[in-house]
Amino acid sequence: METSIVGVGVGITDRFRTVVEEKIARVQTFAAKAQRLDVKVTHRAYRNGHVPDETVELTLVSKGPVVRAEATDGDKFVALDLAVDKMAEQLRRAKEKRVDGRQHPRGAHFEKGSGALEGIDVQPASADILHAVATGAVPVQNDEEEVYSPVVIRTKSFDPEWMTVEEAVDRMELVGHDFFLFVDASTDHPSVVYRRKGWDYGVIALSTQAPPDQALAS
């Protein structure tokens, strides 16, 4: 695995490079296919009398999601240890989750034996309905005119994933985002975990309710 080490406001000694090479062996244990590890050391000095500190940021690049971890301490070697511990724990959780996912798949999946969709409350369309749509018996709306708008809204669609809040937090940490959209396995509600200050997190969930037309009719 390729290693890149840079310093901001601090020099990188040969001893520190040697220690990094020794420490990343733990990372490779959980990420054997990783391609590159970027190490950034930032020195911060304060004018209000606070002791200067060193922040070590680790970024692991592979074919999967980018994994990040960082830690701060007065000693860059201690900060390195803390950052490596965090990254190793994140990778360990991700590895265990992949194994559990293969053994106990969640979300929608196709059962070859019965030909049914399991894990999602939908039924496939019948052959009669598909034929009606194909022959035009059931009209299909197709808006070809594009309405101009000065606001550009980019959209992305993903398959739903059922997981616990803790698993969603771990996935968010792995991808390095400030939020992560998922379906809560305990409630089946679309939910979002998001990062707050420090290591605090929040959860926003959509409660299931009747569509507006049904609510008015009742």
Side-chain angles (χ1 to χ4, degrees):
M1 179 173 61
E2 180 184 352
T3 305
S4 171
I5 307 175
V6 297
V8 179
V10 61
I12 303 300
T13 63
D14 292 339
R15 177 174 172 244
F16 187 81
R17 294 182 183 277
T18 300
V19 173
V20 168
E21 294 296 332
E22 295 173 353
K23 296 293 183 181
I24 61 175
R26 290 187 56 198
V27 174
Q28 290 180 301
T29 301
F30 299 103
K33 297 182 179 179
Q35 299 170 341
R36 189 178 77 254
L37 178 67
D38 295 332
V39 182
K40 180 180 178 181
V41 184
T42 303
H43 175 80
R44 291 187 177 88
Y46 304 96
R47 298 181 180 179
N48 54 5
H50 289 179
V51 178
D53 58 39
E54 317 277 354
T55 298
V56 175
E57 302 173 61
L58 304 179
T59 303
L60 186 67
V61 180
S62 63
K63 293 183 179 180
V66 175
V67 183
R68 295 185 176 91
E70 70 173 69
T72 301
D73 191 86
D75 187 331
K76 61 177 175 289
F77 289 94
V78 176
L80 174 64
D81 284 338
L82 295 174
V84 170
D85 288 343
K86 289 181 181 180
M87 177 166 284
E89 179 64 14
Q90 292 171 200
L91 293 170
R92 183 190 65 79
R93 291 181 182 179
K95 184 176 181 179
E96 290 180 352
K97 184 164 55 179
R98 287 194 299 270
V99 173
D100 181 70
R102 288 193 294 267
Q103 296 175 350
H104 306 91
R106 297 188 180 188
H109 56 277
F110 179 74
E111 289 289 344
K112 294 183 179 179
S114 62
L117 288 175
E118 300 292 341
I120 186 170
D121 188 19
V122 297
Q123 293 294 331
S126 65
D128 293 338
I129 294 178
L130 294 177
H131 178 72
V133 173
T135 57
V138 177
V140 179
Q141 182 177 359
N142 185 14
D143 297 330
E144 296 182 355
E145 294 185 3
E146 182 177 350
V147 179
Y148 170 76
S149 173
V151 179
V152 178
I153 301 177
R154 301 183 184 277
T155 61
K156 290 185 178 181
S157 298
F158 300 93
D159 293 332
E161 291 189 71
W162 276 255
M163 62 184 67
T164 64
V165 173
E166 291 76 11
E167 290 171 336
V169 170
D170 290 340
R171 184 73 67 84
M172 180 182 67
E173 291 294 344
L174 281 179
V175 299
H177 291 171
D178 292 327
F179 68 92
F180 187 82
L181 177 64
F182 68 107
V183 179
D184 194 326
S186 62
T187 63
D188 284 337
H189 292 167
S191 306
V192 172
V193 292
Y194 62 94
R195 190 191 311 278
R196 303 181 67 188
K197 293 182 179 179
W199 288 95
D200 291 339
Y201 304 94
V203 182
I204 299 176
L206 297 178
S207 299
T208 304
Q209 61 181 6
D213 54 347
Q214 295 183 14
L216 292 175
S218 60

